[in-house]
């Protein structure tokens, strides 16, 4: 996740663009830059560091011109270097672009361009698109056509803004699976990843949909569909937010914003280039034994990995909590360990990496922060590109890791013959559709979850239960509840209940069940049996169940429904619902949600 901004104005834009970068900094802050058009010349300044640091070096406000683009980066491809920061020029310096997202086929397109004699100054996927524009323009000699044809040649997620010497009064922009909005003002128009970029100038905004492109001048804008190049009439929305609210995208806390970011981070995770997935998948196939390792939330991601590998690739991949890993795992050079870390700095995970490496094991990681220690210590790293996760508790970063992990599992399953290509394609489609499902569920169920939180936030003791892959979801959801509400929430496998914990159950005990869809028959029935066990002891039972599950609804004291879409993805829909439940309970209790007591975002001590 990065932030992009563009302005076309009757006045000089450098100062306003710099302000836009400051307002967008929460979307990424490893490097930034801006390019302005002045008297048919493009001037570029960019460097590494946060927006203020880069400005101290580059003095953005010295740039001249009434039109420009700017970018603040959260690296996904290519390290944190000045060359990799945006904007990026085409080879002939006639096009310059900023991009938020991932071009998943950039290596293939780059090869085609290299064969045509193009050269590249950076390691980014973005520079490929700048040169694609030049390539298309050489044959079409029309900017709009070149822009649309270049888009047809790329895959992945993107919000792009471009200016060019060939049409110096227009900013071009387009989006797919990454956000893009327009701001409308007297004498100036704006394009950005979110309205926060221009909130101090205007609150009149237009939301751009996927596969729409924009041509924007200082006095006007046109939005067209990529499919048929026809104009789309757009409604101008007037927003009332103050600046701080805008920074959180209108949400009252970063936790809520990050929960609602998840449909986008899932789609972004689906666009991780295949080569990166392949490299780590091959380690699972070539090494005798692999492990999944994380700590806290990322340990639960690792646990989910064990279930996914078993189901889709027929492999037993044990999960281990990073803090225990050095003590119990006798790693050797025929083994491989996949680590998960949002921050890339967690002490326990770093010690586990050291232990694995000291025995010669291969190491891989899925990490959110480019340049972090863990990303540098492992042999292979996938950067998840989820954007900064500001709330101390992890939500979107964990879900994104699960989606990337799932792609690795599918890749392993395909290569070892457990899955066919058709099955893999179908699962990928379902994961994509899941991103839409959580969008719907978040929008439609928030009110119900909020009401349930109001009724239950006084509860001091919770048991969170699930079976099979719903078990790590129960653990993760209990951790979320503990972190933000400071209440006691114990996660356990529902089959474990009768082996001891049932002794605690009476009318004061609240149990939250993660119920699978009925299609999973045995799993469903054994979860229902655990619910009956609690009911028989007068315990209170709350559950997430599918909208057609009348049996569960009749049994539960409170229920929250989810659509019965794809049984294999329901556990993740329920995980997202449980994040919201924790959030609303903490809200009801008036707690410091984004910075819970005693916790830190990056745990760098042992
Ligand atoms: C998650 O909500 C927690 N804040 C915590 O458990 C966290 O997941 C853990 O410390 C690992 O952090 P990492 O992903 O940055 O390595």
């Amino acid at each position: 996740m990065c932030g992009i901004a563009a302005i076309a104005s009757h006045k000089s834009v450098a100062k306003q663009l710099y302000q836009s970068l400051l307002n967008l900094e929460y979307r990424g802050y490893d490097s930034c830059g801006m390019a302005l058009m002045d008297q048919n010349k493009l001037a570029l300044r960019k460097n590494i560091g946060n927006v203020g640091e880069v400005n101290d070096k580059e003095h953005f406000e010295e740039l001249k011109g009434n039109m420009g683009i700017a970018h603040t980066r959260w690296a996904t491809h290519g390290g944190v270097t000045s060359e990799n920061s945006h904007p990026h020029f085409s080879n002939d310096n006639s096009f310059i672009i900023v991009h938020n997202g991932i071009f998943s086929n950039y290596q293939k397109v780059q090869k085609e361009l290299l064969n045509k004699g193009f050269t590249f100054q950076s390691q980014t996927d973005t520079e490929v698109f700048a040169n694609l524009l030049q390539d298309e323009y050489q044959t079409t000699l029309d900017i709009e056509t070149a822009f649309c044809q270049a888009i047809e040649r790329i895959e992945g997620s993107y919000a792009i803004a471009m200016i060019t010497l060939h049409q110096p009064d227009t900013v071009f922009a387009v989006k797919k699976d990454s956000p893009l909005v327009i701001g409308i003002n007297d004498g100036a128009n704006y394009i950005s990843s979110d309205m926060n970029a221009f909130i101090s100038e205007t609150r009149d905004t237009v939301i751009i949909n996927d596969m729409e492109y924009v041509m924007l001048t200082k006095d006007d804008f046109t939005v067209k569909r990529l499919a048929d190049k026809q104009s789309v009439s757009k409604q101008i929305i007037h927003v009332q937010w103050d600046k701080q609210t805008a920074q959180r995208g209108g949400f009252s806390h970063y936790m809520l914003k990050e929960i609602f970011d998840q449909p986008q981070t899932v789609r972004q995770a689906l666009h991780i280039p295949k080569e990166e997935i392949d490299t780590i998948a091959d380690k699972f196939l070539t090494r005798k034994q692999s492990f999944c390792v994380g700590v806290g939330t990322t340990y639960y991601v690792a646990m989910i990995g064990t279930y996914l590998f078993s189901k889709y690739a027929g492999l037993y991949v044990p999960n281990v909590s990073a803090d225990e890993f050095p003590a119990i795992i006798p790693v050797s050079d025929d083994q491989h360990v996949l680590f998960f870390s949002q921050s890339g700095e967690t002490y326990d995970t770093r010690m586990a990496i050291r232990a694995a490496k000291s025995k010669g094991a291969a190491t891989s990681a899925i990490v959110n922060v480019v340049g972090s220690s863990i990303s540098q210590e492992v042999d292979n790293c996938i950067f998840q590109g989820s954007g900064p996760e500001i709330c101390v508790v992890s939500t979107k970063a964990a879900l994104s890791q699960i989606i990337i992990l799932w792609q690795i599992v599918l890749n392993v399953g395909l290569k070892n013959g457990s899955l066919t290509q058709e099955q893999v394609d179908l699962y990928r489609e379902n994961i994509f559709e899941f991103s839409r499902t959580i969008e719907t569920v978040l929008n439609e169920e928030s009110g119900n979850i909020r009401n349930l939180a109001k009724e239950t936030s006084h509860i001091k003791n919770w048991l969170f239960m699930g079976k099979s892959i719903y078990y790590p979801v129960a653990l993760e959801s209990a951790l979320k509840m503990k972190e933000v509400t400071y209440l006691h929430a114990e996660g356990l496998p529902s089959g474990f209940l009768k082996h001891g914990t049932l002794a605690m159950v009476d009318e004061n005990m609240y149990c939250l069940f993660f119920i699978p869809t009925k299609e999973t028959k045995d799993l469903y029935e054994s979860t229902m049996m655990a619910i009956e066990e609690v009911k028989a002891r007068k315990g209170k039972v709350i559950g997430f169940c599918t909208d057609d599950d009348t049996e569960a609804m009749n049994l539960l004291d409170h229920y929250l429904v989810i659509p019965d879409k794809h049984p294999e993805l329901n556990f993740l829909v329920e995980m997202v619902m449980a994040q919201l439940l924790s959030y609303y309970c903490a809200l009801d209790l008036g707690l410091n949600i984004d910075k819970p007591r005693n916790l830190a975002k990056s745990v760098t001590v042992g």
Side-chain angles (χ1 to χ4, degrees):
M1 198 168 95
C2 304
I4 67 168
I7 309 178
S9 172
H10 284 270
K11 295 191 209 142
S12 168
V13 295
K15 208 168 159 199
Q16 268 177 29
L17 260 186
Y18 174 56
Q19 188 57 50
S20 300
L21 283 180
L22 288 168
N23 293 356
L24 289 174
E25 193 169 25
Y26 74 94
R27 300 181 63 87
Y29 38 72
D30 59 45
S31 57
C32 68
M34 70 168 73
L36 263 66
M37 173 87 74
D38 185 32
Q39 298 179 352
N40 279 11
K41 283 203 185 95
L42 284 166
L44 165 66
R45 295 192 186 186
K46 59 182 184 174
N47 216 318
I48 55 170
N50 65 37
V51 175
E53 287 163 355
V54 175
N55 191 47
D56 288 344
K57 295 181 235 176
E58 300 295 331
H59 310 286
F60 288 134
E61 290 173 30
E62 290 173 5
L63 282 167
K64 292 193 170 51
N66 295 356
M67 195 170 82
I69 55 175
H71 185 274
T72 182
R73 182 167 187 242
W74 184 260
T76 54
H77 288 83
V80 181
T81 63
S82 181
E83 294 73 39
N84 289 340
S85 26
H86 298 217
H88 287 283
F89 267 123
S90 59
N91 274 190
D92 66 1
N93 289 345
S94 69
F95 294 89
I96 192 155
I97 70 163
V98 287
H99 165 218
N100 166 30
I102 298 175
F103 295 135
S104 49
N105 65 337
Y106 81 102
Q107 281 155 323
K108 183 175 155 270
V109 178
Q110 190 174 40
K111 269 186 210 141
E112 291 164 17
L113 291 169
L114 283 167
N115 288 338
K116 290 184 172 183
F118 282 89
T119 57
F120 293 88
Q121 320 303 319
S122 74
Q123 286 84 49
T124 64
D125 50 341
T126 303
E127 196 186 358
V128 169
F129 187 73
N131 286 321
L132 258 187
L133 287 166
Q134 182 187 326
D135 189 41
E136 288 296 340
Y137 183 69
Q138 276 159 5
T139 49
T140 60
L141 296 178
D142 176 77
I143 294 298
E144 187 179 341
T145 313
F147 189 72
C148 294
Q149 288 186 188
I151 291 292
E152 272 173 32
R153 288 171 66 184
I154 52 161
E155 291 163 13
S157 63
Y158 45 83
I160 302 166
M162 176 276 278
I163 53 178
T164 172
L165 295 176
H166 304 294
Q167 194 168 324
D169 63 340
T170 310
V171 182
F172 285 78
V174 64
K175 87 152 229 127
K176 178 178 165 261
D177 295 336
S178 291
L180 194 73
V181 292
I182 298 178
I184 316 290
N185 206 358
D186 260 355
N189 290 317
Y190 311 82
I191 291 178
S192 176
S193 304
D194 65 51
M195 54 193 78
N196 187 52
F198 46 76
I199 197 85
S200 44
E201 304 302 320
T202 180
R203 278 151 211 255
D204 288 338
T205 186
V206 172
I207 314 277
I208 306 302
N209 295 325
D210 276 355
M211 310 317 281
E212 289 177 350
Y213 65 102
V214 181
M215 289 171 291
L216 177 133
T217 63
K218 56 194 172 194
D219 295 314
D220 205 3
F221 71 92
T222 310
V223 180
K224 291 188 179 181
R225 276 188 299 263
L226 278 165
D228 55 11
K229 318 284 179 293
Q230 293 302 304
S231 295
V232 188
S233 98
K234 291 296 224 181
Q235 192 196 347
I236 297 177
I237 301 162
H238 185 76
V239 289
Q240 305 283 1
W241 301 344
D242 59 26
K243 201 183 138 204
Q244 233 197 354
T245 314
Q247 194 143 37
R248 293 187 300 256
F251 295 101
S252 44
H253 294 90
Y254 279 107
M255 182 177 178
L256 192 60
K257 175 190 178 294
E258 286 157 9
I259 290 172
F260 275 79
D261 274 349
Q262 290 178 117
Q264 193 207 330
T265 45
V266 167
R267 294 195 273 272
Q268 179 101 335
L270 278 171
H271 293 307
I272 297 291
K274 189 173 169 298
E275 293 78 3
E276 294 182 23
I277 302 286
D278 267 332
T279 307
I280 294 184
D282 289 347
K283 294 282 181 303
F284 283 90
L285 293 159
T286 53
R287 298 287 168 138
K288 206 164 156 195
Q289 175 72 63
S290 290
F291 303 92
C292 284
V293 175
V295 71
T297 287
T298 53
Y299 171 50
Y300 300 137
V301 171
M303 280 183 88
I304 287 173
T306 299
Y307 288 94
L308 293 177
F309 272 110
S310 163
K311 181 165 180 194
Y312 298 101
L315 280 189
Y316 175 49
V317 178
N319 56 77
V320 189
S321 185
D323 54 324
E324 294 297 322
F325 185 84
I328 57 173
I329 299 297
V331 268
S332 59
D333 60 6
D334 55 2
Q335 296 179 336
H336 163 238
V337 192
L338 173 59
F339 296 91
F340 304 89
S341 178
Q342 187 286 131
S343 63
E345 299 296 345
T346 304
Y347 174 87
D348 291 307
T349 311
R350 291 184 68 190
M351 291 308 110
I353 293 171
R354 251 176 236 181
K357 289 185 79 156
S358 70
K359 301 285 175 55
T363 53
S364 313
I366 300 175
V367 170
N368 196 28
V369 180
V370 172
S372 56
S373 307
I374 288 174
S375 71
Q376 288 169 25
E377 282 162 19
V378 293
D379 306 325
N380 292 291
C381 184
I382 290 180
F383 294 110
Q384 52 189 99
S386 311
E389 193 178 58
I390 292 168
C391 176
V392 164
V393 305
S394 188
T395 51
K396 67 173 181 174
L399 184 60
S400 165
Q401 286 170 344
I402 295 166
I403 300 303
I404 296 168
L405 169 65
W406 203 323
Q407 292 173 84
I408 294 171
V409 173
L410 292 178
N411 191 306
V412 173
L414 180 66
K415 286 176 175 161
N416 74 8
S418 302
L419 297 173
T420 62
Q421 186 62 56
E422 291 68 42
Q423 285 172 307
V424 170
D425 293 343
L426 183 66
Y427 287 130
R428 279 181 60 86
E429 264 171 46
N430 290 350
I431 296 172
F432 184 81
E433 212 183 296
F434 155 74
S435 73
R436 304 263 186 244
T437 307
I438 46 173
E439 219 152 41
T440 313
V441 165
L442 285 171
N443 291 332
E444 290 176 4
E445 286 298 316
S446 278
N448 294 332
I449 298 177
R450 189 172 186 151
N451 289 341
L452 178 62
K454 277 196 178 132
E455 283 177 46
T456 54
S457 63
H458 65 284
I459 307 301
K460 296 278 178 283
N461 289 297
W462 284 96
L463 295 178
F464 280 28
M465 284 175 274
K467 193 174 169 66
S468 180
I469 204 161
Y470 292 80
Y471 164 43
V473 169
L475 289 172
E476 162 57 9
S477 305
L479 179 65
K480 278 300 81 90
M481 186 64 104
K482 279 184 266 207
E483 286 184 288
V484 291
T485 66
Y486 319 149
L487 296 169
H488 173 234
E490 188 177 335
L492 72 155
S494 54
F496 207 91
L497 185 64
K498 55 189 173 297
H499 297 286
T501 320
L502 197 54
M504 292 171 69
V505 175
D506 60 16
E507 64 277 13
N508 299 314
M509 178 59 82
Y510 276 67
C511 300
L512 180 69
F513 278 89
F514 294 83
I515 306 171
T517 63
K518 281 179 149 180
E519 286 95 322
T520 59
K521 211 167 177 328
D522 290 352
L523 181 58
Y524 175 80
E525 278 168 14
S526 76
T527 309
M528 294 299 281
M529 210 177 294
I531 294 175
E532 298 274 13
E533 286 161 6
V534 173
K535 287 288 288 185
R537 273 89 190 166
K538 300 194 169 53
K540 300 282 182 306
V541 198
I542 295 167
F544 296 111
C545 62
T546 53
D547 48 13
D548 57 351
D549 189 355
T550 45
E551 201 178 328
M553 290 177 201
N554 288 335
L555 205 56
L556 296 164
D557 295 300
H558 296 277
Y559 55 82
L560 289 162
V561 294
I562 55 171
D564 187 11
K565 284 237 160 145
H566 299 293
E568 74 275 11
L569 281 145
N570 266 13
F571 73 104
L572 290 180
V573 183
E574 295 189 14
M575 187 174 103
V576 172
M577 304 263 283
Q579 294 169 347
L580 261 192
L581 181 64
S582 302
Y583 170 79
Y584 283 126
C585 283
L587 189 72
D588 207 43
L589 295 169
L591 296 170
N592 189 354
I593 297 177
D594 286 334
K595 287 189 183 139
R597 71 182 184 200
N598 308 338
L599 300 180
K601 187 68 183 160
S602 211
V603 187
T604 53
V605 289

